[in-house]
Amino acid sequence: MTTNRNSVESRASRGDDKAIAVIGMSCRLPMAFGPADFWQLLHGGTGAITDVPPGRWDTTEPPAGSGVRRGGFIDGIGDFDAAFFGISPREAAAMDPQQRLVLELAWEALEDAGVVPARLRDSRTAVFVGTLRDDYTSLANQYGEQVITQHSMTGLNRGVIANRVSYYLGLRGPSLTVDAAQSSSLVAVHLACESLRSGESTTAIAAGINLNILGESAVTEERFGGLSPDGTAYTFDARANGFVRGEGGGAVILKPLAQAEADGDRIYGVIRGSAVNNDGATPGLTVPSREAQREVIREAYEKAGISPSDVQYVELHGTGTPVGDPIEAGALGDVFSSHRAPGDPLLVGSAKTNVGHLEGAAGMVGLLKALLSLTHREIPASLNFETPNPAIDLDGLGLSVPRELTAWPHPDRPLVAGVSSFGMGGTNCHVVLTEAPAPETAEAGPAAVDAPVAAPAVLPWILSGRDADALRAQAAKLRAFAATSEAGTADLGWSLLTTRTTFDERAVVLADGKDAYLAGLDSLVDGTPGTGVVTGHVQDGRLGFLFTGQGAQRAGMAQELYASFPAFAAAF
């Protein structure tokens, strides 16, 4: 079956009034400190599953040699710059690290979107965060009432994970933490999109978070029977024997597509539709339903106005369990196989084979992988796949698992992807994505033949931080980015000035070429004087006008200010 590019675009365009643009993202994942790192991990086919870090589960001794002690872990889960967020050390210690990490992820995603957080204050910006775990609360409770302080009630409350972001940024839109078990974060994205479509909010922050702080949680999942005994996720493979735990989080900034295009935002991808349902009564509470999964997928594409024949890739829930994988594959085949020509299978894969199953944040990880794949126009390999699960007829279902980095099929057609996430209690979610729309180009006119305006020879790059250490860290990050970026020096200077919060510790690098900018940043990092580098700290105080009368100025120089500005005249 062939599909005309224009037909795909026309079907999608009919839903542009409901389309949601993803304009910013952030993540903290195993071996990946941000989206660029995550893409490099996916692109290189790297697995981030390791033994549990030393000191993490000192209070627990799971069975030796079992998969309980393996998973995807992030570094420094106890690290937090409390002063940056205006939080006292005492309160920070009482806060669930999930609250701390979501604060950081929200800020980083807004920066990635070029949104100065202060400009959102008092706006109808929503926050939806998916999670399912309270490990830190359980840890605190082990120590009894001696650890309870005036900050414990808010610090250990799961709902405050979302509320903390709204409070810090001064946001007036909906703010809630979503627990739909393992589908929590993708359901949070669905709810954020619905809030935007209804006009309830104008911008939305959607996030997912999961931290594996307690060894007891790993033991609980092992005794439930869900964990892989050897600590490896074999999604759709004959060796599938359970999932592998992962931790971390991610966030996206969402805005109606029309508004994002009007604002000139960079767009990673477009959410065209999404759907949520539940399995209902199945043979067991945690047994998934092929019929329910099939229906949620169909409903998502109906809402998106996109035919299953146009979809090239689906990021699976893909846990690698003997029961779940065949049911998910069957549901996908029910929806997609009749729409595919022989030899044109639907590509499917799972990021859980790279970073583990982030449970409440798993759907967000899948969404980020799909968005990065759309942006880079490549589909990463799904790891640990050798022999298809005998319970999954991939050919008959019209599915294929990429074993290496793969170009998107049918590059002449718009890129379309789906993302699935299913909760153990039966809450299913599917999201439909398309690539970002091509930017509109202005028609050539008389002005187009005029000589371009030359940029000034010397331009400022403005940096700031909460303190001197933060300023040096910002200089180091900018130096690393600028050294390899193809962006012009004027573009970088403009972005630094208009899309970043200005803090009290400041520096300006004045230069006339890239090498000179890099040298100035090096001097900031090293804390040594540099040509064209000015540093300083903003002091509280009032602005004064000084008219020295020493002959360097003209007579009556303040009269224009006096005549033009009543506030100046009154003060004068």
Side-chain angles (χ1 to χ4, degrees), residues 201-356:
S201 57
T202 53
T203 303
I205 303 169
I209 185 68
N210 184 64
L211 294 180
N212 297 325
I213 297 172
L214 283 181
E216 286 86 348
S217 295
V219 174
T220 299
E221 292 178 336
E222 190 234 7
R223 293 180 182 174
F224 167 73
L227 288 187
S228 165
D230 56 5
T232 305
Y234 299 108
T235 301
F236 279 22
D237 189 89
R239 296 166 292 171
N241 59 2
F243 68 88
V244 181
R245 304 179 83 216
E247 70 176 0
V252 291
I253 308 301
L254 306 175
K255 185 187 287 188
L257 176 60
Q259 189 61 53
E261 290 183 310
D263 293 341
D265 293 318
R266 173 190 56 188
I267 298 173
Y268 286 107
V270 180
I271 298 175
R272 295 288 178 178
S274 59
V276 173
N277 73 1
N278 191 272
D279 290 336
T282 61
L285 173 64
T286 62
V287 177
S289 164
R290 176 169 172 168
E291 179 181 2
Q293 290 185 14
R294 176 176 68 234
E295 290 308 311
V296 81
I297 294 170
R298 282 180 174 163
E299 182 182 350
Y301 289 99
E302 288 173 3
K303 288 182 175 179
I306 290 177
S307 168
S309 62
D310 299 326
V311 184
Q312 296 122 313
Y313 175 73
V314 168
E315 174 64 15
L316 301 168
H317 183 62
T319 56
T321 56
V323 174
D325 282 4
I327 291 175
E328 181 173 12
L332 288 168
D334 291 345
V335 175
F336 292 100
S337 61
S338 63
H339 294 271
R340 313 203 72 82
D344 182 28
L346 173 70
L347 297 182
V348 295
S350 175
K352 293 178 179 64
T353 61
N354 300 93
V355 297

Side-chain angles (χ1 to χ4, degrees), residues 431-494:
V431 170
V432 182
L433 300 170
T434 62
E435 64 181 313
E440 295 184 4
T441 56
E443 295 184 6
V449 299
D450 293 340
V453 177
V458 177
L459 290 167
W461 282 8
I462 299 172
L463 297 88
S464 70
R466 290 284 194 190
D467 54 33
D469 289 340
L471 181 63
R472 284 194 294 272
Q474 287 295 313
K477 290 177 64 176
L478 179 60
R479 207 270 184 222
F481 174 80
T484 57
S485 174
E486 297 180 359
T489 56
D491 290 335
L492 287 170
W494 181 87

Side-chain angles (χ1 to χ4, degrees), residues 20-25 105-106 109-110 113 115 120 123-129 165-166 169 171-176 187-207 250-256 259 265 271 364 367:
I20 305 299
V22 181
I23 64 171
M25 64 171 70
L105 290 170
L110 288 170
V115 176
L120 295 178
S123 69
R124 287 184 296 136
T125 298
V127 181
F128 294 87
V129 180
V165 176
S166 299
L169 298 176
L171 310 178
R172 296 286 181 86
S175 179
L176 61 146
V187 171
V189 172
H190 166 81
L191 294 175
C193 292
E194 292 297 297
S195 180
L196 290 167
R197 292 186 183 112
S198 71
E200 179 182 58
S201 57
T202 53
T203 303
I205 303 169
V252 291
I253 308 301
L254 306 175
K255 185 187 287 188
Q259 189 61 53
D265 293 318
I271 298 175
M364 178 58 65
L367 179 68

